[in-house]
Amino acid sequence: MKYRTLGRTGLRVSEIGFGAWGIGGRTAGTTSYGDTDDRTSLAALGRALDRGIAFFDTSSAYGDGHSEELIGQAFEHRRPSVVIATKAGYDSWDRAPDFSPSAIVASVERSLARLRTDYIDLLQLHNAPIEAVRTGGLREALAGLEAAGKIRAWGFSAKSPAEAIAAVTELDAPVVQANFNMMDVRAVESGLFAAVERRRAGLIGRTPLCFGFLSGTITSDTVFPPGDHRLGWSKAQLANWIEGAAELLAAIGADRGTGGAQSALRFCLAFQAISTVIPGILTPAEADDDAAASDLGPLPERAIEAVLEINRRRQFFVRPTAAT
């Protein structure tokens, strides 16, 4: 496993991280990856750390806090070995977010208890409106949490690369999180990479496997479990991702399955602006496979260019219409 610096925070993170949305289990509506088994999740967390994955990204909303509870249980006695990033603003997907200073401070206290720790390495504002950070005393609240030693750094988990740019340039956020994968290269096209490098900000790459589609193993016959958020996407969008993944993997000579997933991670790691990528990990086998992507190194330049060229000539996001 190779490690990178998370911007100017001073935190050293594994370049492959652990996206912990899935292990939180099923939540209201289609806002999760369905039911999970805690024993398998705990085994995945332990295997990940054993393989060098030392950055764990969660949220108070994942499993309504259950994801944090599992991370706390797994690492209570190994705390110095891990970097834990969580998010505040949403406590549950079926309730409105609250980014008031008092709500963020209260959320941190609840997260600390669930994580069984007295500090959080990185607190991210979860899809917060930029204006909420500019006004209302939120920056002062974050500074107070840092001064009290309850968080080591703060960041901004953005809905889009454009919002991530605004967080870096207008709010001077030391860390941002945004989508980036072989079917979503907006971070390149929008100038986000250039912005974080110019500001020495850390960048966490979210959805590096595009919800599992870039493994190449999801087909039109795949049945998603109840509660899986992918059930909420249109048939046209799912078909586009399935076809797009097949085209991309063929272009870079990657096999479906483990080879495809590892190639997708290696694509992200080819960009130095990326501090870490956080594939969702549900099982020990996935932890093994994802960690091995770091050993293989970034994709070669010709493969990177092939992916970018495909993105220049086709769209991977289907705009919703009445028919879809």
Side-chain angles (χ1 to χ4, degrees):
M1 179 60 63
K2 300 179 185 68
Y3 297 81
R4 302 187 183 193
T5 302
L6 189 62
R8 59 182 184 275
T9 66
L11 296 170
R12 186 170 174 264
V13 296
S14 54
E15 63 180 13
I16 303 293
F18 188 116
W21 177 18
I23 64 170
R26 189 174 175 182
T27 46
T30 52
T31 57
S32 67
Y33 280 91
D35 294 318
T36 53
D37 177 76
D38 284 354
R39 289 172 298 179
T40 301
S41 298
L42 288 167
L45 288 164
R47 181 71 63 81
L49 183 54
D50 290 343
R51 290 299 308 271
I53 295 175
F55 179 76
F56 296 83
D57 179 85
T58 183
S59 168
S60 56
Y62 297 167
D64 299 334
H66 190 54
S67 174
E68 290 181 328
E69 291 172 342
L70 289 170
I71 290 172
Q73 184 177 344
F75 302 130
E76 181 178 12
H77 302 296
R78 305 174 75 180
R79 183 65 180 91
S81 301
V82 298
V83 175
I84 297 175
T86 193
K87 306 181 190 75
Y90 285 86
D91 284 332
S92 175
W93 296 124
D94 59 357
R95 295 198 299 273
D98 188 346
F99 294 102
S100 66
S102 60
I104 297 301
V105 170
S107 181
V108 166
E109 295 294 348
R110 291 191 294 270
S111 290
L112 287 169
R114 288 190 290 260
L115 290 164
R116 304 187 190 186
T117 184
D118 57 3
Y119 69 97
I120 292 165
D121 295 288
L122 175 67
L123 177 71
Q124 300 162 93
L125 301 174
H126 202 169
N127 296 344
I130 293 290
E131 194 60 30
V133 190
R134 282 202 194 100
T135 61
L138 186 49
R139 290 292 296 270
E140 291 77 6
L142 293 169
L145 289 168
E146 283 193 74
K150 295 187 176 184
I151 66 173
R152 296 178 66 186
W154 73 277
F156 194 95
S157 183
K159 288 183 179 180
S160 68
E163 289 190 2
I165 291 173
V168 170
T169 59
E170 299 176 29
L171 305 176
D172 199 27
V175 180
V176 289
Q177 180 177 141
N179 288 3
F180 180 56
N181 60 63
M182 293 200 298
M183 291 195 284
D184 185 350
V185 298
R186 290 174 297 165
V188 177
E189 299 167 343
S190 66
L192 175 57
F193 284 176
V196 298
E197 290 181 320
R198 187 167 58 250
R199 295 288 187 125
R200 296 181 54 243
L203 176 57
I204 300 166
R206 185 175 64 230
T207 66
L209 304 182
C210 190
F211 311 128
F213 286 88
L214 284 168
S215 68
T217 58
I218 296 175
T219 70
S220 58
D221 295 323
T222 297
V223 178
F224 298 117
D228 193 304
H229 74 98
R230 291 168 291 192
L231 292 169
W233 293 95
S234 70
K235 291 182 180 179
Q237 180 61 73
L238 299 179
N240 194 22
W241 278 336
I242 291 168
E243 295 166 5
E247 180 179 359
L248 287 162
L249 295 181
I252 62 175
D255 296 329
R256 292 172 54 188
T258 299
Q262 290 175 338
S263 294
L265 295 174
R266 295 170 62 203
F267 168 79
C268 298
L269 296 179
F271 296 85
Q272 288 303 305
I274 290 285
S275 305
T276 182
V277 292
I278 48 170
I281 295 176
L282 294 173
T283 67
E286 290 177 354
D288 283 336
D289 292 342
D290 291 349
S294 178
D295 299 332
L296 295 170
L299 284 185
E301 187 175 344
R302 64 181 181 280
I304 300 300
E305 181 51 39
V307 170
L308 295 177
E309 175 56 31
I310 290 172
N311 275 269
R312 282 190 282 267
R313 59 179 172 77
R314 68 164 292 171
Q315 292 290 323
F316 288 105
F317 184 75
V318 176
R319 294 187 180 277
T321 66
T324 59

